[in-house]
Amino acid sequence: MKFAQIILPLNLQGTFTYSVPEAITDLLLPGMRVLVPFGGKKIYTGIVFRTHDEAQDAFVPKEIISMLDDSPILPQEQLEFWAWLSDYYLCNMGEIYRLAFPGSLKLESETYLKLKPNVVVDFENLDVHEMYLIQALEIRQLINLSEIEAFIPKKEIIKTINSLIDLQYIEVDEKITEKYKAKEVAYVRIKDPEAVRAQLPEILLQLKRSPKQQELFMMILQMHTENPETQIRKSHLLDDGNFAHSQLKSLVEKDLVEEYFLQVDRLESYEGETEQLEELTEEQKRARNEIVAAFEEGKNVLLHGVTSSGKTHLYLENIEETVAAGLNVLLLLPEIALTKQTAVRLEKKYGQALGFYHQKLSDFERVEVWRRIRNNEIKVLVGTRNALFLPFRNLGLIVVDEEHDTAYRPREVAPYFNARDSSLILAEFYGGRVILGSATPSVESYWLAQNDRLKLVTLSERFGKVSLPQFELIDFKEAQQRKKVSGNFSQHVLDEITENLQQKNQVMILHNRRGYANVVECETCGHVSYCSNCDVIMTYHKFSNELKCHYCGNKSSKPSNCPKCNAENLNTRGVGVEQIHEEVSRLFPDAEVDRMDVDSMRRKFAYEKLYEKIESGETDIIVGTQMISKGLDFDHIELVTIPRADHMLYVQDFRAEERAYQLITQVSGRAGRVSGEGKVLIQTYNPQHFIFQLIRENDPREIYTYLLEERKKFNYPPYTKTILIELKHRNEAKADRASQFLGSVLRKYLPPECILGPEKSPVGKINLLYQYQILIKLPRGKFYKIYKNYIKESIEEFEEITAYRSVKRYIYVDF
DNA sequence: AGCACGCCGACT
DNA sequence: GTCGGCGTGCTC
């Protein structure tokens, strides 16, 4: 007898042992999907992690119902990667499985059964449930498991199915692929061009009373006349909002126009000509040679290139070389909105061999990418962090663009992992190489480069030898004393904005705080509104006239009177981006001022619309949160100002200075991309602050030296490895007690200086859950693994206490 | 994670 | 008298 360790899509520790039916013992391989019963009535699609012959005595393993793949859907490298992730990030493989697979590749009780063709059923020897199921299948060809529940008791379902599969009467329907239809796109054409031409006056007369239809008809006719070969996409015709669907429908009904459909690839791959890259500059050539040399040494690369230095160009060169060597490439981007520019260039190069994978794809589209990757049809895949889990073959290169971006390690989705760090491991399993690229590398990556674990390659010139923007610090306190201030802006900044507007330049204003004001306060009694679910003050959003909680999304309308003492004089404190936007609009009444933040971009296509408005030059001033620091590469932005730069430093986070540096540098990179005369004005109460001074001097080496010294001084990463454990419960005392207990267990095993807390989290309550945290700082090197095993043991000990089982537990490794 | 079982309160 | 709340235990 043979056994298999199966990964199930459940948040449970470890794998589960199943026995392998004799018929497939020689066929079953790690990485294949199998159907297994679990618990009383559930059926799951599991993944074979490994097969073995170690007999089991603690329990009787159940048997695998069926094998779903002829060959492993998941390559060995991915299985090793999952195991590594689960071990390193202290999460379960089931969580990874859930995240990694598109829904329809891990069907559960939705799995369909069918009769085997040409079977003769011997009803005499069937029990009543088996008979029901066969009869049901004779009527309907496919039945899924939850439908079977209607006529067979839950506990009997698995037994019934198993016995019928054993008797070779039925089988699991595996043709998942047949369930998706090819996507079709609607096109429009003149139904009978000859006839139309002959009878045009009559037709126009017929359409006299519907001018819109006439206009639309003429437009289609004109398009046809100009180029009879072009296909006219229906959506393009209606997109600009000039015509309504009903008008087109009328034309179709009048038999003048007809609609037809063409199948397109769901992923809308590029179908045009592919083109060659432009030549590299001298500096880029040097960098390229350094990358080649590093790869030959077996080293991965940290590509530190100032904004607009042509990092993408270098990526493309390396991608091309990798593909030419017969290997495949993964290009990771922090968010899908950034794919636009990169994608255009890659499409021209790789056409159909390019794939995309990100959160916005539908399940079918995801499966399609899976299929194409498995068939080795995709040479270059552009995607967000989940693309790490695709079943790559021959992965030769991973490029992680904007590697400093925090989108690579979101705290909100389980399992927690850092896609940038993980990509280094994944590449190792595949024997591939990695390029981490950024204009502002993370302190951690920079440190790795300093310690020879990554090869640092630098691009310090902007493309076309354009100068970097000039930084200027404005002492806001001094400006206030000299009364040269209007609201949040010093006169100097206002003058600069005015001048730029006169020269028809665009201006960007960064203010990284959502809403209008942080606090609405009653002047009489001092009352402020707290979120009812969280331990947080509600932020005032004037645009929607609401108080919003930025942690749980809770909203309430803004009160006009104090809810406590009913006084009318409510005051606001703290400046948000809405207020800056309002102020700038007032100060520059003739300018077109637009706001870009998550709140204003929530509506569909809001981002695309504003993007085009800025691109066309219609917008004069863009006021926004950190959102404006990404992806807005326009030629006419000459001035960037940060009116309240100090905000960024007053965050309780050991990365606050690093983030401020990255944000300021990224946003300043938008200025003077073509002219080379960009300017960045930073208003601050602390112009002496080291980080501002360093940013102004713009010497990266100095900045990283400073940031690293600070990290070293306070024992933060990269000098230590951190693990944050959060415990949450709706009963505060219970959360407190649980964290005290876990803390005491940890202290049993770990040196006391490694453990900070337990203590109440900075935000003590979110979504009605009270949260307590323990921060663990571990030394790097060989003790790390030992200590981490102690942590695992401590958590197991903690889990044995049944009273704390309802306490939610979150672990963030390298948070 | 999901589900069953079992124990307590608030309702037709 | 029952319905359903969630604490507890179990799943190969």
Side-chain angles (χ1 to χ4, degrees):
Chain A
M1 200 51 169
K2 223 175 143 191
F3 300 100
Q5 294 307 121
I6 306 294
I7 305 166
L8 293 176
L10 301 171
N11 191 5
L12 291 172
Q13 220 195 70
T15 53
F16 291 81
T17 312
Y18 284 84
S19 64
V20 181
E22 214 163 308
I24 58 169
T25 40
D26 296 331
L27 304 172
L28 198 69
L29 293 169
M32 285 181 175
R33 291 175 305 153
V34 289
L35 213 55
V36 292
F38 188 78
K41 58 161 211 172
K42 272 267 175 185
I43 291 184
Y44 289 106
T45 308
I47 307 282
V48 179
F49 185 64
R50 69 184 179 94
T51 53
H52 59 88
D53 287 301
E54 301 146 32
Q56 211 57 72
D57 46 5
F59 53 87
V60 183
K62 288 184 182 167
E63 195 170 66
I64 290 170
I65 299 172
S66 70
M67 197 169 88
L68 295 180
D69 301 305
D70 298 333
S71 66
I73 189 168
L74 211 58
Q76 189 58 32
E77 291 90 344
Q78 280 290 346
L79 285 176
E80 286 172 37
F81 182 52
W82 289 20
W84 179 85
L85 278 172
S86 148
D87 178 62
Y88 186 84
Y89 286 105
L90 305 174
C91 62
N92 293 320
M93 279 207 277
E95 291 178 278
I96 301 168
Y97 175 27
R98 289 184 147 209
L99 185 78
F101 268 59
S104 57
L105 289 184
K106 52 174 160 50
L107 295 183
E108 301 174 13
S109 301
E110 293 299 298
T111 307
Y112 283 82
L113 298 171
K114 64 177 179 196
L115 279 181
K116 279 198 156 191
N118 310 321
V119 288
V120 184
V121 179
D122 173 17
F123 283 97
E124 294 291 298
N125 293 316
L126 295 182
D127 70 22
V128 57
H129 301 312
E130 291 163 356
M131 220 143 73
Y132 280 160
L133 183 51
I134 295 283
Q135 284 168 349
L137 281 167
E138 279 174 345
I139 298 164
R140 294 185 38 194
Q141 280 70 36
L142 291 174
I143 294 184
N144 80 21
L145 299 186
S146 23
E147 288 165 346
I148 296 173
E149 281 176 21
F151 54 88
I152 298 179
K154 288 176 181 176
K155 281 187 175 166
E156 300 293 322
I157 292 178
I158 300 295
K159 199 181 127 256
T160 308
I161 293 172
N162 273 338
S163 112
L164 289 175
I165 288 175
D166 281 350
L167 290 164
Q168 307 266 319
Y169 289 160
I170 66 168
E171 63 188 352
V172 171
D173 185 56
E174 290 160 35
K175 288 178 221 132
I176 295 161
T177 40
E178 284 183 6
K179 282 206 264 163
Y180 30 87
K181 297 186 210 103
K183 189 180 166 186
E184 291 187 325
V185 169
Y187 290 85
V188 167
R189 67 183 163 216
I190 300 289
K191 188 153 187 195
D192 187 350
E194 296 302 310
V196 163
R197 222 159 277 140
Q199 304 166 21
L200 191 57
E202 288 91 335
I203 293 169
L204 291 180
L205 197 66
Q206 184 194 351
L207 293 173
K208 204 179 75 180
R209 288 179 53 209
S210 17
K212 267 299 197 185
Q213 284 178 37
Q214 195 185 56
E215 197 186 327
L216 179 60
F217 179 73
M218 286 311 286
M219 191 166 117
I220 299 169
L221 186 62
Q222 194 191 346
M223 285 163 103
H224 174 79
T225 317
E226 276 170 13
N227 188 353
E229 299 307 309
T230 17
Q231 315 261 25
I232 304 169
R233 273 234 349 221
K234 184 174 156 189
S235 57
H236 290 172
L237 221 47
L238 304 177
D239 254 2
D240 50 13
N242 240 337
F243 299 101
H245 192 265
S246 59
Q247 287 149 8
L248 186 65
K249 212 174 136 195
S250 303
L251 290 177
V252 173
E253 278 165 9
K254 287 172 187 162
D255 246 8
L256 298 168
V257 169
E258 68 180 347
E259 265 185 75
Y260 63 105
F261 297 89
L262 291 178
Q263 277 194 11
V264 293
D265 192 78
R266 297 194 151 270
L267 307 161
E268 310 217 345
S269 293
Y270 184 77
E271 284 158 15
E273 305 239 318
T274 55
E275 75 171 23
Q276 294 306 308
L277 290 172
E278 320 133 39
E279 222 188 303
L280 294 173
T281 64
E282 284 306 310
E283 195 198 31
Q284 287 171 338
K285 276 184 195 155
R286 192 214 70 229
R288 205 183 114 60
N289 292 337
E290 285 178 27
I291 293 173
V292 171
F295 283 179
E296 274 167 12
E297 265 178 71
K299 264 196 196 141
N300 293 322
V301 167
L302 173 61
L303 178 60
H304 181 189
V306 298
T307 46
S308 1
S309 58
K311 284 190 296 295
T312 312
H313 200 163
L314 271 184
Y315 298 156
L316 296 179
E317 285 282 334
N318 279 282
I319 289 169
E320 189 177 355
E321 187 166 305
T322 310
V323 171
L327 300 171
N328 299 327
V329 179
L330 167 61
L331 171 57
L332 277 190
L333 297 166
E335 53 188 277
I336 200 61
L338 302 180
T339 49
K340 209 176 164 184
Q341 302 97 319
T342 322
V344 172
R345 300 176 72 177
L346 283 164
E347 275 179 337
K348 287 187 179 162
K349 188 87 190 61
Y350 297 102
Q352 298 282 339
L354 178 71
F356 294 96
Y357 196 78
H358 51 76
Q359 283 69 27
K360 284 208 179 124
L361 295 185
S362 70
D363 189 65
F364 288 148
E365 289 166 330
R366 286 175 210 221
V367 176
E368 188 63 15
V369 178
W370 265 72
R371 188 187 59 73
R372 290 173 65 209
I373 289 265
R374 274 212 325 146
N375 293 346
N376 217 359
E377 289 166 24
I378 291 178
K379 304 263 170 260
V380 181
L381 190 111
V382 182
T384 50
R385 62 201 297 269
N386 284 7
L388 282 175
F389 298 111
L390 288 167
F392 295 105
R393 292 204 217 162
N394 315 322
L395 188 60
L397 175 69
I398 304 178
V399 177
V400 184
D401 192 21
E402 309 293 356
E403 65 89 29
H404 64 280
D405 202 299
T406 52
Y408 285 123
R409 48 179 182 84
R411 282 255 301 248
E412 301 74 34
V413 270
Y416 177 82
F417 69 96
N418 186 329
R420 177 237 297 157
D421 300 342
S422 307
S423 69
L424 293 166
I425 302 297
L426 181 68
E428 212 174 295
F429 286 132
Y430 275 99
R433 295 278 167 261
V434 180
I435 300 176
L436 305 179
S438 175
T440 53
S442 64
V443 169
E444 283 82 354
S445 298
Y446 200 89
W447 183 84
L448 286 176
Q450 276 192 344
N451 286 274
D452 228 24
R453 308 260 290 277
L454 291 173
K455 167 85 186 179
L456 182 66
V457 176
T458 313
L459 288 172
S460 48
E461 283 171 13
R462 272 180 158 185
F463 188 77
K465 305 228 165 159
V466 166
S467 307
L468 283 165
Q470 292 294 308
F471 289 87
E472 197 179 322
L473 295 174
I474 291 126
D475 187 336
F476 200 63
K477 199 197 261 170
E478 190 216 47
Q480 278 177 324
Q481 281 160 358
R482 290 173 41 216
K483 304 248 186 295
K484 295 214 154 192
V485 162
S486 167
N488 292 300
F489 293 90
S490 65
Q491 194 53 48
H492 176 56
V493 169
L494 294 177
D495 292 345
E496 289 275 356
I497 295 176
T498 309
E499 201 186 313
N500 272 281
L501 291 179
Q502 279 165 359
Q503 290 167 12
K504 302 277 174 223
N505 294 332
Q506 287 171 308
V507 176
M508 257 188 182
I509 299 174
L510 171 72
H511 188 74
N512 200 21
R513 210 173 251 191
R514 288 169 58 197
Y516 186 85
N518 295 35
V519 190
V520 177
E521 188 186 40
C522 170
E523 270 185 32
T524 311
C525 71
H527 173 267
V528 296
S529 294
Y530 276 82
C531 173
S532 50
N533 302 331
C534 310
D535 198 0
V536 172
I537 295 172
M538 305 274 273
T539 307
Y540 172 40
H541 287 245
K542 192 175 188 174
F543 186 73
S544 52
N545 198 36
E546 283 171 329
L547 298 180
K548 279 190 201 171
C549 170
H550 288 178
Y551 285 82
C552 73
N554 193 9
K555 291 177 199 167
S556 64
S557 59
K558 191 214 168 211
S560 51
N561 296 34
C562 172
K564 198 175 162 201
C565 71
N566 210 29
E568 279 176 20
N569 46 350
L570 297 178
N571 220 344
T572 64
R573 278 195 290 130
V575 179
V577 67
E578 281 186 15
Q579 199 172 142
I580 298 282
H581 176 246
E582 183 185 272
E583 190 179 350
V584 172
S585 307
R586 198 181 59 239
L587 288 166
F588 300 96
D590 296 330
E592 183 69 18
V593 186
D594 285 306
R595 173 163 66 93
M596 182 182 266
D597 57 30
V598 281
D599 299 293
S600 64
M601 294 296 112
R602 216 178 289 276
R603 282 183 35 234
K604 216 178 173 191
F605 301 124
Y607 183 85
E608 287 76 6
K609 279 181 190 161
L610 184 52
Y611 186 97
E612 271 167 39
K613 199 174 165 195
I614 300 169
E615 193 173 38
S616 70
E618 212 182 312
T619 299
D620 299 310
I621 304 177
I622 308 131
V623 181
T625 56
Q626 59 184 343
M627 210 180 235
I628 63 171
S629 69
K630 296 181 193 177
L632 300 181
D633 294 340
F634 300 117
D635 294 349
H636 300 294
I637 299 168
E638 301 296 340
L639 179 67
V640 168
T641 88
I642 306 165
R644 286 182 168 263
D646 301 311
H647 275 355
M648 289 184 260
L649 299 177
Y650 299 150
V651 187
Q652 201 199 5
D653 179 353
F654 70 89
R655 284 187 236 266
E657 291 187 336
E658 178 189 359
R659 299 275 283 285
Y661 153 67
Q662 286 163 342
L663 185 51
I664 293 174
T665 308
Q666 292 286 345
V667 75
S668 69
R670 311 298 128 207
R673 291 172 60 90
V674 173
S675 69
E677 285 166 12
K679 216 174 207 184
V680 183
L681 304 177
I682 303 171
Q683 284 189 162
T684 164
Y685 286 101
N686 312 292
Q688 304 319 317
H689 196 295
F690 222 64
I691 200 79
F692 289 136
Q693 292 289 336
L694 287 169
I695 288 169
R696 189 187 57 185
E697 283 156 29
N698 202 9
D699 181 347
R701 210 169 306 168
E702 289 282 324
I703 290 170
Y704 285 99
T705 306
Y706 166 75
L707 290 172
L708 280 165
E709 272 170 14
E710 294 286 300
R711 299 283 185 94
K712 193 170 194 172
K713 215 188 295 176
F714 299 104
N715 262 322
Y716 273 113
Y719 297 98
T720 54
K721 303 272 284 175
T722 52
I723 296 176
L724 181 71
I725 303 178
E726 265 184 353
L727 298 176
K728 305 189 187 187
H729 199 271
R730 63 196 143 74
N731 176 334
E732 176 161 24
K734 194 157 189 170
D736 190 5
R737 258 183 286 125
S739 69
Q740 289 299 333
F741 175 74
L742 180 57
S744 69
V745 178
L746 285 164
R747 275 179 225 281
K748 255 187 357 195
Y749 297 110
L750 300 177
E753 67 272 16
C754 289
I755 303 170
L756 279 83
E759 63 191 357
K760 208 170 173 160
S761 296
V763 180
K765 182 176 72 168
I766 293 180
N767 253 325
L768 297 174
L769 295 177
Y770 290 91
Q771 30 190 45
Y772 282 73
Q773 64 174 37
I774 300 171
L775 174 59
I776 304 166
K777 290 183 185 174
L778 299 177
R780 294 190 86 100
K782 66 170 190 237
F783 280 106
Y784 179 63
K785 240 191 136 70
I786 297 168
Y787 286 162
K788 200 142 130 196
N789 278 329
Y790 284 141
I791 295 172
K792 278 189 193 173
E793 278 174 42
S794 305
I795 290 164
E796 275 164 29
E797 253 178 71
F798 174 80
E799 279 174 348
E800 278 167 26
I801 312 294
T802 53
Y804 297 146
R805 287 219 17 200
S806 55
V807 178
K808 285 194 166 138
R809 202 197 58 218
Y810 298 84
I811 303 176
Y812 305 100
V813 177
D814 301 340
F815 70 95

